Amino acid sequence: MQFPLLKSEKIANGIRFEVGKNTSPVITPEASTDLVRITLPWTSTAPKPAELNRKSVEDSLKNILDVGGDRSWLVTGHPGAGKTSTLIYLGQQLGGFDAVRIALNPHQDDYSSYSQFGFSEINELSEIFNYINLLKAELELRRKDKNRRFKLVVVVDELGAILDAGDASEIMAIFRQLAVEGRKLGLVVLIGNHSQTTKAISMDSEFRSAFYQLFLVGAARYAVEQPHRNTGLSNLEENYIKSAAYPALMLANMQYSLVKHPTHGEYRQYRDKGNSPRKLEQWESSIDGA
């Protein structure tokens, strides 16, 4: 009575799904009428359990812009994690082509260049500090003038290096206020930093709560490995973060989400150099002096 049922296409497909889609189970009767033999042909292409687990997580990864909106962002990650490319991606996606885009970047190297992606880039520290003061004045102008709400995207690359050279408390206060009021006034602030620890740059919880937070690669692994931090992720998701080449973890509205790295998420192997960012568009620089 059981053998005809097992021979049905529905049951065979169920078995095929459980062991991998590349197998074709052969069902034959044994000498006893109560037993059947299920033979599963070996194939080297059949996915292993670990690969199936990884694929199930990858299929569920979210786009960061589907989780977070046009609030300001705080992106942390070590060199090679794709931090700069993520800041560029966010600047383009959140601002759009017509936005004024400014990058305050104290580094001048081939791996953190913004100008080819539509940003007016400021590298000298003295000019960076001048622009920070201008942003403070701009915020006040936008509070008073409803017509002065054109989209302005400001990227701050490596906040720690800027704070080390200036008045850290004053700079942090300005950026926090820009982030708090920015969404209502057409301002988006994107901050990148090497370290995700709050002590590294005296970043308090009040400051961090003004931003969506994105942890890339090593910063994401650090987040899930801290015993005091409960991310709410499953064991499968945490294992993915520990093993994937470019994992990304997002904190929005006090909730963690496993998301796809926006520019390096397709890569299977991590490299400090050589994995070029994807999904970036080469735009002309925005208006200087804005």
Side-chain angles (χ1 to χ4, degrees), residues 111-247:
Y111 300 101
S112 58
S113 176
Y114 288 82
S115 57
Q116 62 181 312
F117 300 107
F119 289 79
S120 297
E121 186 170 353
I122 314 300
N123 301 117
E124 297 296 331
L125 281 170
S126 59
E127 292 186 51
I128 288 175
F129 295 137
N130 182 50
Y131 263 85
I132 292 173
N133 288 326
L134 288 175
L135 288 171
K136 182 180 180 181
E138 177 68 22
L139 183 63
E140 183 62 29
L141 289 173
R142 289 181 179 232
R143 287 172 181 155
K144 297 177 180 179
D145 186 357
K146 292 183 179 181
N147 295 319
R148 192 180 177 88
R149 302 286 170 84
F150 61 87
K151 199 73 170 186
L152 174 59
V153 177
V154 180
V155 167
V156 184
D157 197 327
E158 212 56 61
L159 175 62
I162 296 174
L163 295 178
D164 287 343
D167 186 338
S169 60
E170 175 65 15
I171 294 171
M172 292 279 281
I174 292 173
F175 286 142
R176 177 186 171 277
Q177 203 58 38
L178 289 170
V180 169
E181 298 187 52
R183 182 164 54 176
K184 296 179 180 179
L185 301 178
L187 270 164
V188 176
V189 181
L190 308 171
I191 294 180
N193 198 59
H194 171 84
S195 175
Q196 70 279 8
T197 59
T198 56
K199 291 183 180 179
I201 54 175
S202 301
M203 188 187 301
D204 58 24
S205 59
E206 187 177 11
F207 182 90
R208 288 182 286 116
S209 64
F211 297 83
Y212 289 132
Q213 296 181 65
L214 187 63
F215 308 90
L216 301 177
V217 192
R221 297 189 182 110
Y222 178 88
V224 300
E225 289 170 357
Q226 299 311 296
H228 64 279
R229 180 178 287 172
N230 180 16
T231 61
L233 301 179
S234 67
N235 290 335
L236 198 60
E237 290 173 322
E238 290 198 356
N239 287 335
Y240 176 85
I241 288 178
K242 295 174 184 177
S243 62
Y246 290 91

